[in-house]
Amino acid sequence: MVFFGVKMADFVKAVLAVVVLRLLQSAVSVEAWGADGHHATCLLAEPLLAPATLKAVRSLLPEYAKGSLASLCTWPDDIKWQHQWRWTSPLHYIDTPDFLCRYDYLRDCHNEYGDKNMCVSGAINNFTSQLTTFQLPLDLAAPYLMTKHDHPNHYNLTEAILFLAHFVGDIHQPLHVGFTSDAGGNTISVHWYKRKYNLHHIWDSELINTAKQRFYNSSLSVMVDAILLKIGGKWVGETKSWGACANHGISCPDVYAAESISLACKYAYRNATPGSRLADEYFLSRLPIVERRLAQGGVRLAFILNRLFAQTSDSLINQK
């Protein structure tokens, strides 16, 4: 059976090889998607990148990243509180009408002042478009940081790829496409086992943290490896449809956003009223949703980057 232009057996072997290699390396060290969710999304995407894509991605990263996109996947969160970057804050989420459980770009993609396209799906469209201007430098030995002066359209493509990778992660967290009145669960205070958090934080971090502690030896690396095995195993028949976009689009964030608000209504908000106590019943029934969304985010990020940068014949996820 052929899987996106590659024999399924070869694809599965490639995924297994990545898992084995990770087991021989030290685990990724991160504190907390939150940070863990974004690291996981990028770690899941990296082994699915075509060789040409990987070369292009690494050429855009600063030297201190040492070729690792995952190491900088939280950068947009790190800088959004700084004065010069505050304009990026609404690019991390979408607020939709309460209880409608549907997303509409024209209605929902705006900031608090009504400025259009200022939401996470608009940001993905924007930075995807910017990255179509990429040209690999002739001197591949030199670190490549494209500044706004290096391109006639004045795009900083290093920033663009970091924003794109981060926002693809954000849009797959269901409560990043939540209800307007509670700011995606941020104003809903609940108890997570014995500790008090807002609902958004539970989906950003605590579901992943609890899963790591209970099932993955407190290691994000082990959790990512387990999800990679599912991508190459039980989910292998679904990944092509995950990455598909209508009309040969490079990215399709409206699809991702529509999925998230649907999942937010069915799983995140359900049985999570203010003051409620969420424990095993909530955790164990929601964890499969979290792991699947992490997988979808990673696979889709790989599809997007491969479409932007790769020759299709090079790709493990081949978009023929």
Side-chain angles (χ1 to χ4, degrees):
M1 181 177 178
V2 175
F3 177 59
F4 309 138
V6 176
K7 290 182 179 179
M8 183 181 289
D10 293 337
F11 174 81
V12 174
K13 286 179 182 176
V15 171
L16 289 172
V18 171
V19 174
V20 171
L21 178 61
R22 279 213 236 273
L23 290 174
L24 296 175
Q25 297 172 333
S26 59
V28 176
S29 176
V30 292
E31 294 179 354
W33 25 353
D36 274 353
H38 286 293
H39 280 89
T41 299
C42 290
L43 287 169
L44 290 164
E46 285 178 333
L48 304 177
L49 299 180
T53 303
L54 193 58
K55 183 184 295 184
V57 169
R58 287 175 173 171
S59 76
L60 286 169
L61 298 176
E63 189 172 359
Y64 62 81
K66 298 181 179 179
S68 169
L69 178 61
S71 70
L72 291 176
C73 269
T74 62
W75 176 76
D77 275 343
D78 298 335
I79 56 93
K80 68 182 180 182
W81 309 111
Q82 299 175 22
H83 178 74
Q84 66 268 37
W85 294 107
R86 285 180 187 170
W87 65 271
T88 67
S89 292
L91 303 184
H92 293 256
Y93 61 88
I94 302 167
D95 286 335
T96 69
D98 291 5
F99 308 109
L100 188 61
C101 298
R102 290 195 300 273
Y103 155 81
D104 179 86
Y105 185 90
L106 294 178
R107 181 192 64 212
D108 302 329
C109 190
H110 56 81
N111 63 13
E112 62 181 314
Y113 306 109
D115 298 322
K116 298 294 186 182
N117 307 313
M118 294 293 287
C119 75
V120 65
S121 53
I124 291 172
N125 287 331
N126 176 42
F127 292 114
T128 299
S129 178
Q130 288 188 25
L131 286 163
T132 62
T133 68
F134 171 80
Q135 293 180 340
L136 196 67
L138 295 177
D139 182 7
L140 294 180
Y144 183 65
L145 284 175
M146 178 174 272
T147 71
K148 66 181 181 180
H149 303 296
D150 294 327
H151 192 276
N153 291 326
H154 304 308
Y155 295 139
N156 184 318
L157 297 188
T158 296
E159 292 176 1
I161 196 169
L162 298 183
F163 278 124
L164 177 63
H166 184 92
F167 293 144
V168 170
D170 273 343
I171 204 169
H172 283 84
Q173 203 273 65
L175 286 176
H176 275 254
V177 190
F179 297 159
T180 299
S181 67
D182 57 50
N186 273 290
T187 66
I188 298 176
S189 181
V190 296
H191 288 87
W192 180 249
Y193 294 92
K194 297 181 179 180
R195 302 191 68 175
K196 192 174 182 179
Y197 297 108
N198 69 62
L199 185 62
H200 189 99
H201 174 80
I202 287 169
W203 279 79
D204 259 356
S205 300
E206 294 308 315
L207 281 157
I208 295 175
N209 289 340
T210 304
K212 286 193 312 176
Q213 294 163 12
R214 191 174 298 189
F215 302 122
Y216 299 113
N217 197 29
S218 297
S219 169
L220 180 64
S221 181
V222 173
M223 185 175 185
V224 167
D225 291 344
I227 296 173
L228 268 174
L229 289 174
K230 292 178 182 178
I231 291 172
K234 64 184 290 187
W235 292 332
V236 72
E238 300 178 60
T239 50
K240 187 173 184 179
S241 65
W242 290 352
C245 289
N247 302 317
H248 306 288
I250 297 174
S251 62
C252 39
D254 287 346
V255 173
Y256 320 150
E259 292 171 349
S260 278
I261 184 56
S262 177
L263 292 169
C265 288
K266 292 177 181 177
Y267 296 99
Y269 285 116
R270 183 164 292 181
N271 300 324
T273 55
S276 59
R277 181 178 179 271
L278 307 181
D280 276 358
E281 182 178 355
Y282 190 94
F283 167 62
L284 295 173
S285 59
R286 273 58 172 184
L287 179 59
I289 306 303
V290 170
E291 293 189 341
R292 187 178 179 88
R293 290 306 274 171
L294 290 172
Q296 288 175 322
V299 167
R300 284 165 169 165
L301 177 58
F303 264 93
I304 293 166
L305 296 177
N306 282 336
R307 289 186 185 116
L308 283 166
F309 301 130
Q311 298 175 3
T312 56
S313 59
D314 289 336
S315 181
L316 282 176
I317 295 185
N318 194 329
Q319 288 90 47
K320 287 184 177 179

